[in-house]
Amino acid sequence: MVEIDLNHIYKRYANAEENNYAVSDFDLHIKDKEFIVFVGPSGCGKSTTLRMIAGLEDITKGELIIDGKYENDTAPKDRNIAMVFQNYALYPHMTVFDNMAFGLKLRKYDKDKIKEKVDYAAKVLGLTEYLDRKPAALSGGQRQRVALGRAIVRDAPIFLMDEPLSNLDAKLRVSMRAEIARLHQELHTTTIYVTHDQTEAMTMADRIVVMSMGEVQQIGTPKEVYESP
Ligand code: ADP
Ligand code: ADP
């Protein structure tokens, strides 16, 4: 059971002008297993908000509460969160298996456990035949699946995804959308997905948060957001 409360969150970057907030008064209660999409144009503060939840950026003002616990000061590695980035961030010299296993090795999981988790993720993602390949020998969609696999093996109840499909061509984006929706069903994660693509927001979200210039404009189901008069 994972609930995330963002209580009046603000972000001002250290080098920004005094009253220049990248994110202002972001206020949202996220329910267990919800699929939330942050949508809005480039620069509106989506990534910044996601990175504050991951602990990759400090929160200037406001509270991040996960399952009733104050998390503002928790180190990223101690947050039970997996994040998928736009640019895959795979290690080119490592095989698919080793790319997926890397975080678990760092955390000193034993070999059998690592193999079990990587094999499971590979199976879910249709990568079993590719485990011995290097990233250069994969298609864009397969690489993005490996990046998803690295998140899956962490077994985290919270998934954060920052424009995970925007480097893929249009056709692949559509099929990966369905795949991510299926993964969400299968893994029961509480997910926050960032995109500037309204179609992605509409087809994937339980609820959409529409952002503009650092502020939340609207929060609602796809129906409420896109069919409102
Ligand atoms: P989005 O994800 O919606 O494209 P961002 O969260 O990346 O938006 O950016 C929000 C605002 O914060 C933008 O004005 C951007 O220029 C600024 N910003 C983002 N990262 C930094 C940073 N590391 N330092 C200073 N300003 C930043
Ligand atoms: P990776 O996830 O790239 O295999 P680690 O799991 O060892 O590598 O991540 C090291 C630290 O860097 C994490 O504890 C966290 O602070 C940050 N970090 C790296 N990748 C992620 C991620 N996918 N999600 C959240 N934090 C991450």
Side-chain angles (χ1 to χ4, degrees), residues 5-11 21 25-27 52 58-65 70-73:
D5 281 297
L6 300 159
N7 290 342
H8 303 287
I9 300 266
Y10 290 75
K11 175 67 182 184
Y21 286 86
D25 200 20
F26 195 108
D27 202 50
M52 288 192 283
D58 289 337
I59 293 170
T60 306
K61 204 168 103 185
E63 291 178 326
L64 170 66
I65 310 280
Y70 179 79
E71 294 277 1
N72 287 44
D73 304 324

Side-chain angles (χ1 to χ4, degrees), residues 12-225:
R12 188 171 70 82
Y13 282 102
N15 55 353
E17 314 255 318
E18 192 169 348
N19 282 318
N20 187 357
Y21 286 86
V23 175
S24 280
D25 200 20
F26 195 108
D27 202 50
L28 176 68
H29 173 77
I30 300 172
K31 290 175 249 179
D32 188 40
K33 300 185 184 56
E34 230 183 339
F35 197 113
I36 295 281
V37 176
F38 295 171
V39 71
S42 178
C44 73
K46 306 180 297 291
S47 269
T48 300
T49 306
L50 206 67
R51 291 168 61 80
M52 288 192 283
I53 297 167
L56 305 174
E57 290 291 346
D58 289 337
I59 293 170
T60 306
K61 204 168 103 185
E63 291 178 326
L64 170 66
I65 310 280
I66 299 178
D67 285 340
K69 193 168 151 263
Y70 179 79
E71 294 277 1
N72 287 44
D73 304 324
T74 306
K77 69 171 171 39
D78 298 326
R79 297 181 193 207
N80 214 348
I81 287 175
M83 188 154 163
V84 180
F85 299 95
Q86 171 179 359
N87 57 5
Y88 321 138
L90 302 182
Y91 300 107
H93 60 287
M94 289 184 196
T95 63
V96 167
F97 183 96
D98 288 336
N99 265 286
M100 290 205 269
F102 185 74
L104 302 178
K105 283 186 184 159
L106 282 183
R107 288 177 173 78
K108 312 263 188 265
Y109 280 65
D110 72 53
K111 268 207 159 80
D112 291 347
K113 194 79 197 165
I114 291 176
K115 187 162 180 343
E116 181 191 319
K117 283 176 176 288
V118 172
D119 283 347
Y120 170 74
K123 191 168 151 241
V124 172
L125 293 163
L127 288 172
T128 304
E129 293 162 52
Y130 304 94
L131 286 171
D132 293 329
R133 291 205 193 175
K134 303 269 175 71
L138 300 176
S139 70
Q142 289 167 336
R143 281 180 217 165
Q144 190 52 291
R145 281 195 191 94
V146 179
L148 285 168
R150 295 171 79 183
I152 290 171
V153 297
R154 295 168 76 117
D155 260 343
I158 301 174
F159 256 48
L160 307 180
M161 306 200 210
D162 195 351
E163 305 256 7
L165 306 185
S166 56
N167 282 341
L168 303 178
D169 66 49
K171 202 169 145 210
L172 203 50
R173 265 206 307 270
V174 173
S175 61
M176 286 297 289
R177 246 190 241 152
E179 189 150 335
I180 288 173
R182 180 179 61 78
L183 277 177
H184 177 249
Q185 292 298 325
E186 191 154 330
L187 302 173
H188 308 297
T189 52
T190 300
T191 301
I192 307 175
Y193 185 102
V194 162
T195 183
H196 60 267
D197 182 334
Q198 292 194 0
T199 312
E200 276 180 23
M202 213 156 47
T203 52
M204 300 177 85
D206 292 322
R207 278 193 304 157
I208 296 171
V209 177
V210 183
M211 296 184 73
S212 167
M213 303 207 304
E215 294 184 5
V216 173
Q217 299 296 318
Q218 203 183 348
I219 300 175
T221 62
K223 226 181 150 84
E224 286 163 353
V225 168

